[in-house]
Amino acid sequence: MTQLSEELKAQERMTAVGALQVLDAAAGASLDRITQLAAFAFDAPVAFVSIVGVDTQRFISQVGLQITGTDIRSSICSYTIASPDVMVVPDLAADPRFAHNELVCGAPHLRFYAGAPLIAKNGVAIGAVCVMGPTPRDLSEDDRQHLKTLAAMAMSQLELRRLSGRQDPVSGLSNRHQFHIDYDGLVARASAGTMYAVMLDVLDVPRLDEAGQALGMPPLEAMLHRSGVRLRVALEDITDVYHVGVSRFAFLIDLPTQDDVEALLLELKQRIIRPVMAAAVPMSPQFHAGICAFDPKTDSSNDVLRKLLVGVQAAISTRKDFCWYSERRDELLRRGYRLAADAERGLRREEFYLLFQPRVDTLTGKVVSAEALIRWNHPRLGPVGPAEFIPVFERTALMPAVSGWVVDAALDQLAAWQRDGIPLCLSINLAASDLSTEGMAERLLQKLAARDLPASLLEIEITEGEWLRANTVAGDQLARLAGVGVRVAIDDFGSGYSNFGYLSRLPISTIKMDKSLVDHLADDPGARLKAKAIIELAKGLGYTTVAEGVESMEQRQVLTELGCDQLQGYLFAEPLAAEALAAMVDA
């Protein structure tokens, strides 16, 4: 009966331990200050917080001990947790229960022990806060009460970890908030010098959305839970794993070299990508990791997670198993979002301006049109090209404001040319988001009417892509514009997507061949065949053809032979200010 009772108590104790998640390094790290305070307050060279299990006890926070645990038969704390109050052993060597304990007989030859039990909310004692020393001594009643208070503080800290919403409900792992809290304690326990951090993404967002629509969230949550379990088991006794994003897990690792970190990741990959059954469908978790080396003395927890995100995104975008943090990539990202943050101010302060690149008739060389090109003279970064800032704007909510500015500035210039008798048409680039906005066509036509400009003088350039289809908002906007005479040009045609299917279903009037096709016309028969096919197809459909990026007489000659209608490029002029373009037309 006694043995059964002891087994039941041990089972209750381990259930409480599991619920509190006190056997990870982070839990111990959160107690280090209390342990240090105990050693100082009692002038004891050894202090520790122990968790007593069925077969072993583990020291999850310690001062003055080089070991991390002992066999249960050597555990003095196993007696403490059975005690209703603080247990003090003035001289361990004189107590037959402990006289042969390895800590007493061998180094560090301890003689004195005092411990206060850690008692969970359910009344179960799971371990103890203890102080020990090499000299026999006793504790006063006040000292005993102080040790009991420290034990209550330690227990409150452990309970706080569980109750403060710092545990992910899907994986059961500590979450990102707990990572920030634990960070200082974790790095303090590491060896001096560089440490490494890793973030794993086990399911990319597009697949997560698709699978969620098909299967619902419970199977996905089961897969994420299983991935967390695999990571926790694989890294048990090595490090603690945190669930820091929907499908992202992170951990800190103290290994000698980068090669060791990469070897660990390759081993983890084999464990993670094994199929998981989700709603009777076998699904394979993905494996993309970001890694960074960091200095615990200078890098905060926010610094580490940000660097890891840079690495993870690089791994996902390049379809690699893992990528190390790149300072260069980081600089470009931060520069990009600095541009995004400064854009509205730049519009107000007239930092943006337009240049105009002429298009010439292939046979006569006469300027027949111009393309409006936005530029930005940033007050701190200097000249910034659209190839850098437009993709950033398209990923944010800035594109409508920037496009609106471009349209107004370009139409103002077109109106000025008309007043001066300069017979030019003008092309304006619009983004997919512009054309996918209801009412955009009406607003553009109103701006033309306000300046008394014929619709036939305006051409809008759009880049082909998946979004470009009939029977959509964008398709309806294009039809409305084309119906009153605005010309529609497909920009960068032949650069990649090139879905010929929409050419006959949308009101297109111009095809602009991408510079990548033009570059090798003079020396690559394959490039010449592609250009010929595009020009012949466009002519068959009644479209005007324009070649972009013409830089040599040889390219011009080939395009003339192929029957291309118009040419644009540095052979004729680089992008010019409005006055310089007007002078070129007059000449």
Side-chain angles (χ1 to χ4, degrees):
M1 185 69 179
T2 302
Q3 182 178 357
L4 179 60
S5 176
E6 289 299 321
E7 289 176 355
L8 288 174
K9 287 181 179 179
Q11 185 175 357
E12 288 180 348
R13 188 162 64 248
M14 295 317 297
T15 299
V17 167
L20 290 169
Q21 288 194 332
V22 299
L23 291 180
D24 58 19
S30 69
L31 300 177
D32 284 348
R33 291 184 179 180
I34 294 176
T35 308
Q36 292 162 6
L37 177 59
F40 174 79
F42 292 94
D43 192 23
V46 173
F48 56 88
V49 178
S50 71
I51 300 299
V52 178
V54 176
D55 300 314
T56 62
Q57 73 167 347
R58 291 181 60 179
F59 304 142
I60 63 170
S61 178
Q62 67 231 64
V63 172
L65 276 181
Q66 301 303 315
I67 58 176
T68 59
T70 70
D71 185 274
I72 194 66
R73 290 171 295 181
S74 303
S75 171
I76 305 173
C77 296
S78 63
Y79 292 86
T80 302
I81 64 172
S83 172
D85 208 337
V86 174
M87 185 179 100
V88 179
V89 182
D91 188 353
L92 293 164
D95 190 315
R97 294 174 300 175
F98 311 119
H100 300 291
N101 188 287
E102 57 189 21
L103 295 177
V104 178
C105 298
H109 299 287
L110 298 172
R111 298 287 295 276
F112 160 73
Y113 170 91
L118 293 171
I119 301 175
K121 293 286 188 182
N122 61 2
V124 175
I126 64 172
V129 173
C130 312
V131 291
M132 299 183 74
T135 304
R137 58 184 282 199
D138 204 344
L139 287 185
S140 68
E141 189 58 38
D142 284 345
D143 285 341
R144 292 172 187 244
Q145 189 59 44
H146 290 158
L147 187 59
K148 192 172 181 179
T149 300
L150 289 175
M153 291 171 59
M155 197 67 232
S156 295
Q157 180 64 37
L158 294 174
E159 290 280 1
L160 181 63
R161 285 172 55 83
R162 181 177 66 87
L163 297 174
S164 59
R166 298 170 187 162
Q167 193 176 62
D168 186 89
V170 174
S171 66
L173 297 172
S174 298
N175 63 16
R176 184 178 68 255
H177 302 294
Q178 190 64 51
F179 174 83
H180 290 302
I181 292 167
D182 294 343
Y183 177 80
D184 288 340
L186 292 173
V187 298
R189 290 172 165 231
S191 60
T194 299
M195 285 188 68
Y196 301 100
V198 176
M199 182 183 290
L200 301 177
D201 193 318
V202 299
L203 188 67
D204 59 67
V205 172
R207 291 185 72 245
L208 178 65
D209 290 341
E210 181 182 287
Q213 294 173 54
L215 304 174
M217 291 309 296
L220 286 179
E221 290 178 346
M223 191 182 79
L224 292 171
H225 174 76
R226 187 59 185 162
S227 297
V229 169
R230 288 175 176 177
L231 279 171
R232 185 173 58 196
V233 171
L235 296 171
E236 191 173 10
D237 297 327
I238 300 175
T239 188
D240 301 314
V241 182
Y242 293 81
H243 197 157
V244 296
V246 174
S247 57
R248 292 180 175 179
F249 302 88
F251 58 87
L252 306 181
I253 196 77
D254 187 12
L255 291 174
T257 68
Q258 293 188 1
D259 289 342
D260 294 322
V261 178
E262 293 185 4
L264 174 65
L265 285 180
L266 292 176
E267 182 179 339
L268 287 178
K269 178 186 175 181
Q270 299 308 312
R271 293 174 179 251
I272 292 297
I273 64 174
R274 295 199 309 270
V276 175
M277 295 302 293
V281 177
M283 297 185 64
S284 295
Q286 298 292 295
F287 187 93
H288 297 294
I291 323 168
C292 74
F294 69 96
D295 185 345
K297 294 179 181 178
T298 58
D299 288 310
S300 69
S301 57
N302 280 316
D303 293 331
V304 170
L305 286 185
R306 191 185 61 76
K307 290 179 178 180
L308 290 177
L309 287 172
V310 173
V312 167
Q313 195 54 49
I316 292 173
S317 61
T318 58
R319 299 183 180 276
K320 294 181 179 179
D321 289 340
F322 56 80
C323 283
W324 285 86
Y325 163 78
S326 163
E327 189 171 349
R328 172 61 177 162
R329 182 182 178 89
D330 192 358
E331 288 174 355
L332 290 175
L333 285 169
R334 284 190 281 182
R335 176 181 166 96
Y337 279 88
R338 179 176 182 177
L339 293 175
D342 292 347
E344 288 186 296
R345 183 218 61 206
L347 289 173
R348 292 194 305 269
R349 298 185 180 181
E350 299 183 349
E351 295 169 9
F352 291 92
Y353 61 97
L354 292 182
L355 294 178
F356 303 89
Q357 188 168 37
R359 276 173 24 193
V360 304
D361 181 271
T362 302
L363 297 177
T364 66
K366 180 181 178 181
V367 177
V368 293
S369 180
E371 179 181 357
L373 300 169
I374 186 172
R375 296 292 187 265
W376 188 1
N377 188 21
H378 194 282
R380 289 181 295 279
L381 301 178
V384 183
E388 181 178 3
F389 64 76
I390 290 296
V392 174
F393 294 171
E394 288 178 335
R395 293 195 298 267
T396 66
L398 291 165
M399 208 61 226
V402 174
S403 293
W405 179 88
V406 169
V407 169
D408 286 335
L411 294 184
D412 286 344
Q413 185 57 60
L414 182 58
W417 282 333
Q418 292 303 302
R419 289 193 300 270
D420 293 341
I422 299 173
L424 275 178
C425 296
L426 187 62
S427 294
I428 302 174
N429 290 276
L430 293 180
S433 58
D434 299 324
L435 287 164
S436 299
T437 303
E438 293 280 4
M440 173 266 165
E442 289 302 324
R443 290 189 292 274
L444 180 57
L445 294 176
Q446 289 170 6
K447 291 181 178 184
L448 282 169
R451 295 166 174 84
D452 198 25
L453 289 170
S456 59
L457 292 178
L458 180 65
E459 179 180 76
I460 61 170
E461 296 190 15
I462 54 178
T463 303
E464 55 183 344
E466 293 283 356
W467 65 278
L468 191 57
R469 299 189 304 272
N471 303 319
T472 62
V473 172
D476 292 343
Q477 303 286 323
L478 291 174
R480 174 74 179 96
L481 293 171
V484 296
V486 175
R487 296 172 62 81
V488 178
I490 300 298
D491 197 15
D492 300 331
F493 191 85
S495 61
Y497 181 73
S498 300
N499 182 353
F500 292 91
Y502 64 76
L503 292 180
S504 60
R505 294 193 293 270
L506 290 172
I508 296 165
S509 54
T510 303
I511 296 292
K512 297 189 72 177
M513 289 188 295
D514 187 66
K515 183 179 185 298
S516 62
L517 282 175
V518 175
D519 283 343
H520 301 290
L521 282 178
D523 53 26
D524 183 356
R528 189 175 303 192
L529 285 174
K530 291 177 185 177
K532 180 181 180 182
I534 292 172
I535 291 169
E536 290 180 352
L537 174 64
K539 283 186 176 296
L541 294 171
Y543 302 153
T544 298
T545 54
V546 180
E548 296 185 286
V550 181
E551 298 179 353
S552 70
M553 289 300 297
E554 291 81 5
Q555 292 169 346
R556 179 180 184 178
Q557 180 62 37
V558 172
L559 290 164
T560 302
E561 292 171 359
L562 295 177
C564 186
D565 298 306
Q566 297 176 12
L567 308 177
Q568 179 179 342
Y570 279 24
L571 178 63
F572 309 100
E574 61 185 24
L576 303 169
E579 298 79 7
L581 179 61
M584 184 177 178
V585 174
D586 288 340

